[in-house]
Amino acid sequence: FGTRTSHSIKKGDGWVDYSYGEVINEIFVFGLHLLFHGVKKGDLVLIYSKNTPEYSMAFFSCWLIGAVPVPLD
C-alpha cells in the first residue's frame, strides 16, 4: 500500500494527500518523539486536537509504544 493514498484532506483551496507510507512514517516518528521525551509503556498521553488525520496518527503512535491515548474533545 506504500504509495497509495490513505487520506485526502482539504487545506485552503486545495487538497493534501497522505500515502500509507507517509502515515506509517509519521506514526513511527511521533512514537519515537514520545519515547525521547520520556513517555513509557502504560503512561497516559492526553490528545487535544480537532478530528484530523494527525489525530488518528497520534493514537496509533501511542499504541505503538504501549502508551494509552486519552482523547480530550
Side-chain angles (χ1 to χ4, degrees), residues 4 13 25 27-28 31 43 52 61 66 70 73:
R4 293 183 62 189
D13 293 333
N25 185 60
I27 290 168
F28 275 91
D43 284 353
T52 64
S61 296
V70 180
D73 296 333

Side-chain angles (χ1 to χ4, degrees), residues 10-59:
K10 187 164 178 66
K11 286 200 175 181
D13 293 333
W15 289 85
V16 177
D17 294 333
Y18 289 91
S19 71
Y20 282 96
E22 290 171 322
V23 169
I24 291 169
N25 185 60
E26 289 298 320
I27 290 168
F28 275 91
V29 167
F30 189 58
L32 289 172
H33 180 78
L34 292 171
L35 289 171
F36 179 78
H37 287 282
V39 178
K40 301 178 295 302
K41 183 176 182 176
D43 284 353
L44 303 178
V45 176
L46 179 69
I47 300 176
Y48 179 66
S49 174
K50 293 181 181 179
N51 191 5
T52 64
E54 293 84 5
Y55 183 81
S56 62
M57 290 181 224
F59 264 72

